[in-house]
Amino acid sequence: MIRASRLGVLVLTVSLCAPVARAKNPEEPEDAMPAGSDMTFLDHAGTGPFWFGAEANSILQAHPSFPAKYPTNYTDLRSLQSTGDAAISGLFTVFSAYRPFRTTEMILDPEMAVGGGLSQAQGIAAFTNLDVVRNPSLPKVPYIGRAEIHQLIPLSSDWERNEDRGPISSFAYVPRHRLEVRAGKMSTADIFDINPAASDSHMQFMNWAVDNNGAYDYAADTRGYTYGAIVEYQGPYFELRFGEMLMPTYANGPILDWDIAKNRAENLELEIKYRRDRDWAGTVRLLAYQNYANMGGYQDAIDAFENHVDARPDVTLHREAGRSKRGLGMNVIQNLRGVARGFLRLGWNDGQNESFAYTEIDNTFEIGGDLRGVVWKRPEDKIGLAVVSSGLSSVHAEYLRLGGIGFIIGDGNLTYARETIVEQYYNFHVWRGVFLAEDVQLVENPGYNSDRGPVWVFSLRGHLEF
């Protein structure tokens, strides 16, 4: 699942802000933007109306053979290959933004994904590489990731530096209190369920259920993008956002459904900044969502199988437009003396209808943290550790036990157990914008099956930022 732009081990990011002269907003601060970081090759301090960048990311992953009672070579199953395997993914993104007015931004981001994931990104619900596309039949050609308009509506006369300045918000300054409106093609996960320590597979963790709430079946096509509109209030103490998005026409599908009267995704998130001093800053995000889509019901598939209507449970044969899935999430980040951060995620959805857009997780618990290398005199290095435990609803687990498959897991049988993953990474700052990283993941009960695994997954990643 490609959800955000971020080859053997290389990443390229270019960000140019041309200092074009323009009338200064009298409410903007008089001091200049801070100088460019030594973690990039170029100075990004300009306040001109253009933003341009390019990025390439690659992750090499491998795992040795692991114990498995069930064979994995059937093409109609979704199992992780139990013999040794390796795969490499590559992701190339061009970022471009133009601000014709000081409160309006137009974003256009072409992208291309190459390579793939272990076992064609199947067999583990909390898959080990967030950059991979789950549909290997998609062509390896460029496509448009984001094409959106981003509008600020000031609610105060006080302007401040944009602390989140980047490709999806290139404004140098923003009103202290404001509404933000986005419309067009975008990634839902660019805006919702963000965690500063666990949302970026290019500089942090790599696992789907560590960088995202695994139970958040957020609206997206198979590449991770959708069309929609988002309205958010942003202020110094809390933020509130609502988004209406398109769902795919079928689970993990590349085509989006424009029949919004029946099929759509509604997302609501409240962000509370309960502590604001930088070294001890803390934020909690509370999420609720409801999806309507042409979903199949697990119980319907089970009933048809047990009544000898279907040869095996197949949720795709029992789809109905307008079926819903509801879910909740909580996301906490806490700074610790400006050197370390701890984070927590909780997620739940009702799990009655098929997993549709993200992955096959109905409930999740995640805890982890990261530590800057200032302790060992490598201030730009970072080490992280996280544990995530994911589960299924009882009817979802029964569907898999009887031989049903989903779009990412299904061994043809199931001895149910929670899928638990421990992930550790070290991100090494080589020089300026050059980064290398190692990552190790231990996967217990891949695909929720205690008859398979555990499996160790070893990764190498590179990152180069201009």
Side-chain angles (χ1 to χ4, degrees), residues 42-72:
L42 300 177
D43 185 348
H44 298 167
T47 59
F50 293 98
W51 180 284
F52 175 78
E55 178 176 276
N57 197 65
S58 179
I59 296 175
L60 171 65
Q61 293 196 322
H63 71 75
S65 299
F66 63 88
K69 291 185 179 180
Y70 310 134
T72 61

Side-chain angles (χ1 to χ4, degrees), residues 184-445:
K185 191 175 185 183
M186 64 187 71
S187 170
T188 307
D190 280 346
I191 308 299
F192 293 90
D193 188 47
I194 296 298
N195 190 296
S199 282
D200 184 359
S201 62
H202 298 171
M203 297 289 278
Q204 301 167 347
F205 300 94
M206 302 180 189
N207 189 280
W208 290 17
V210 176
D211 283 334
N212 291 319
N213 185 327
Y216 181 23
D217 201 13
Y218 66 84
D221 62 16
T222 192
R223 295 191 187 277
Y225 296 100
T226 185
Y227 287 89
I230 298 173
V231 179
E232 28 178 355
Y233 164 78
Q234 294 211 15
Y237 301 104
F238 76 92
E239 300 177 11
L240 182 66
R241 56 191 62 95
F242 176 78
E244 195 83 42
M245 312 294 187
L246 299 185
M247 293 290 287
T249 54
Y250 58 88
N252 190 34
I255 300 172
L256 295 167
D257 190 340
W258 289 86
D259 185 3
I260 59 174
K262 293 181 179 178
N263 305 315
R264 61 191 182 278
E266 296 166 347
N267 306 266
L268 179 66
E269 186 175 57
L270 173 64
E271 178 175 328
I272 303 170
K273 303 166 190 179
Y274 60 84
R275 186 159 183 172
R276 299 190 68 246
D277 48 314
R278 184 176 295 273
D279 286 351
W280 294 97
T283 301
V284 59
R285 296 171 176 85
L286 303 174
L287 172 72
Y289 76 94
Q290 179 157 308
N291 295 341
Y292 299 90
N294 187 32
M295 301 178 191
Y298 292 119
Q299 191 61 56
D300 290 344
I302 292 170
D303 292 344
F305 168 70
E306 292 181 338
N307 291 325
H308 309 290
V309 175
D310 298 335
R312 76 175 185 187
D314 187 347
V315 73
T316 68
L317 300 177
H318 301 277
R319 288 173 169 161
E320 292 181 11
R323 277 185 162 161
S324 68
K325 173 176 289 188
R326 300 175 180 86
L328 300 170
M330 183 175 74
N331 175 341
V332 181
I333 178 74
Q334 176 61 59
N335 281 9
L336 304 170
R337 296 182 65 89
V339 175
R341 296 178 293 188
F343 61 88
L344 169 74
R345 270 194 179 100
L346 300 173
W348 169 89
N349 67 61
D350 55 38
Q352 300 304 300
N353 296 318
E354 65 179 313
S355 299
F356 212 76
Y358 189 48
T359 190
E360 296 193 51
I361 295 175
D362 298 328
N363 58 80
T364 187
F365 170 80
E366 172 195 356
I367 190 168
D370 62 14
L371 177 67
R372 290 179 55 208
V374 293
V375 177
W376 52 96
K377 299 182 180 179
R378 296 277 310 168
E380 307 302 348
D381 288 8
K382 194 167 288 181
I383 188 170
L385 180 67
V387 180
V388 60
S389 178
S390 304
L392 297 176
S393 66
S394 58
V395 69
H396 194 167
E398 179 66 4
Y399 170 79
L400 295 173
R401 188 190 70 80
L402 293 173
I405 63 171
F407 67 78
I408 190 171
I409 59 173
D411 294 325
N413 201 341
L414 182 68
T415 302
Y416 177 74
R418 293 186 68 82
E419 185 183 85
T420 300
I421 297 174
V422 180
E423 180 175 9
Q424 172 274 327
Y425 77 87
Y426 188 98
N427 198 42
F428 179 79
H429 181 215
V430 179
W431 174 73
R432 297 291 291 183
V434 182
F435 299 83
L436 297 174
E438 59 79 24
D439 183 279
V440 179
Q441 299 178 52
L442 173 61
V443 183
E444 291 277 358
N445 310 316

Side-chain angles (χ1 to χ4, degrees), residues 15-22 43-51 99 165:
S15 300
L16 300 177
C17 297
V20 178
R22 63 171 181 157
D43 185 348
H44 298 167
T47 59
F50 293 98
W51 180 284
R99 300 184 303 281
R165 194 181 192 200

